[in-house]
Amino acid sequence: MTRASREVEQILPRWGSPHAANNRVFCKRWGERLVRSTLSRLYVVGVLHLLRDRGEAWCRVPHSPTEQRGHNCSDVLAGGVHRVDELLENVLHAERQDDWRVEPMVPDHPWCSHVVAPIS
């Protein structure tokens, strides 16, 4: 476990959460999952803003070496070309409204290893 995930688990203890009884929220390695998904979202939002500011309307979602079949990100998003504005709006909506069912979205789930990249 990384130092960051240990610190997260200390600063945000399970017992202080309204979701303390939910083992899906507090699964094994939940601190690592929170750190990874937060950093991934920040990275993706930054890249999408950069692409939009450059006037690029489309981006790609490359395949990830750790992707797993059966996940929407692997089966639908990876290897495809997607609208920058749609992906950016979806992830920002999810954060603002705490509604993570919006699709398409990168990252698509807490352990998602997909990112966005320029077409070229």
Side-chain angles (χ1 to χ4, degrees), residues 13-28:
R14 180 177 183 159
W15 58 265
S17 170
H19 306 287
N22 188 333
N23 287 330
R24 290 190 69 199
V25 172
F26 290 97
C27 64
K28 186 176 182 178

Side-chain angles (χ1 to χ4, degrees), residues 52-67:
R52 187 188 65 189
D53 292 349
R54 285 189 197 164
E56 297 183 38
W58 298 90
C59 64
R60 62 188 179 90
V61 176
H63 285 284
S64 164
T66 60
E67 70 186 21

Side-chain angles (χ1 to χ4, degrees), residues 5-107:
S5 28
R6 283 192 303 273
E7 287 184 26
V8 162
E9 290 182 7
Q10 290 173 354
I11 294 168
L12 303 171
R14 180 177 183 159
W15 58 265
S17 170
H19 306 287
N22 188 333
N23 287 330
R24 290 190 69 199
V25 172
F26 290 97
C27 64
K28 186 176 182 178
R29 296 171 41 204
W30 70 267
E32 180 183 357
R33 181 177 74 172
L34 179 60
V35 169
R36 284 178 182 267
S37 60
T38 301
L39 288 175
S40 180
R41 262 195 327 277
L42 289 171
Y43 175 80
V44 165
V45 167
V47 171
L48 290 169
H49 275 293
L50 178 70
L51 294 174
R52 187 188 65 189
D53 292 349
R54 285 189 197 164
E56 297 183 38
W58 298 90
C59 64
R60 62 188 179 90
V61 176
H63 285 284
S64 164
T66 60
E67 70 186 21
Q68 297 178 355
R69 292 286 160 223
H71 288 128
N72 189 52
C73 53
S74 298
D75 298 343
V76 177
L77 293 171
V81 174
H82 307 278
R83 288 183 42 238
V84 168
D85 286 339
E86 180 181 25
L87 291 179
L88 181 58
E89 180 53 38
N90 286 353
V91 73
L92 294 177
H93 168 84
E95 289 179 355
R96 285 191 303 261
Q97 302 299 321
D98 195 26
D99 177 10
W100 301 96
R101 299 167 295 165
V102 178
E103 292 182 5
M105 180 149 30
V106 178

